[in-house]
Amino acid sequence: MASLLIVQEDKLSPEEKNWLAIAICGAIIADGSVSPAEISYLEQALKFLPSSDQINSLINSVKQKKLPALTKLDMSASTKAQILIEISNVIASDNSLSIREVDYLFELGSMLGFEDEYVQMILRWSNEGIIWKHKMKHLLKVGEQLQP
């Protein structure tokens, strides 16, 4: 399966991989439900973890909707930006953004050291993507009705 992730796994330290896996899982459960689109992100997040014990622990945490707390981690600015954009992709993957998902993105943005303005830019970009996907669905329906 092609990677959904923009973050290059081979460029992350083990600590960054663990942090990202937990952050992705947090994004997945932020709105209280797990969509089919989010399952693919979950599968890829779990691949970051080195042991089956860690994988099972994180799966159980997702099921219980109680993830380990994230703390600030020293990362490059590039990695921080990629992670925040990655999380925006996860929360937008079901083609909607809930208040809790938006709050989660702001929380992570703050933890990564970004100002709210940057997080708002990412949210606008995510919303544009959602609108684009909705328009695409409409265009597909129109195309089907034309019966070329």
Side-chain angles (χ1 to χ4, degrees):
M1 165 174 33
S3 178
L4 299 169
L5 305 177
I6 64 166
V7 175
Q8 296 175 341
E9 177 184 355
D10 60 335
K11 306 247 188 222
L12 299 177
S13 70
E15 294 82 14
E16 291 169 339
K17 289 177 185 178
N18 186 62
W19 199 97
L20 178 57
I22 294 169
I24 288 172
C25 290
I28 288 169
I29 64 171
D31 65 357
S33 65
V34 180
S35 74
E38 292 169 333
I39 295 294
S40 295
Y41 282 102
L42 176 61
E43 290 170 349
Q44 291 197 15
L46 294 174
K47 289 179 185 176
F48 288 156
L49 304 176
S51 73
S52 59
D53 287 343
Q54 285 180 293
I55 291 169
N56 291 333
S57 176
L58 193 54
I59 289 171
N60 287 333
S61 295
V62 168
K63 287 178 182 176
Q64 296 171 9
K65 296 183 180 169
K66 292 189 181 233
L67 295 173
L70 288 171
T71 58
K72 289 186 178 183
L73 185 63
D74 187 30
M75 296 181 249
S76 71
S78 173
T79 299
K80 289 178 180 183
Q82 288 176 28
I83 286 174
L84 196 60
I85 290 170
E86 196 70 71
I87 299 304
S88 76
N89 286 339
V90 175
I91 65 173
S93 65
D94 60 358
N95 294 325
S96 68
L97 294 175
S98 74
I99 298 281
R100 290 190 293 185
E101 288 172 321
V102 169
D103 289 345
Y104 184 74
L105 194 66
F106 274 104
E107 179 184 324
L108 282 184
S110 176
M111 187 177 297
L112 292 169
F114 292 109
E115 299 290 329
D116 285 353
E117 184 177 324
Y118 182 68
V119 178
Q120 289 170 343
M121 287 172 52
I122 292 173
L123 283 168
R124 280 192 296 274
W125 173 75
S126 293
N127 276 319
E128 289 170 9
I130 290 169
I131 291 167
W132 179 85
K133 288 178 189 176
H134 287 296
K135 287 181 179 179
M136 177 190 67
K137 288 178 183 178
H138 173 73
L139 289 171
L140 288 171
K141 285 180 185 177
V142 169
E144 289 171 8
Q145 291 172 354
L146 293 175
Q147 298 180 1

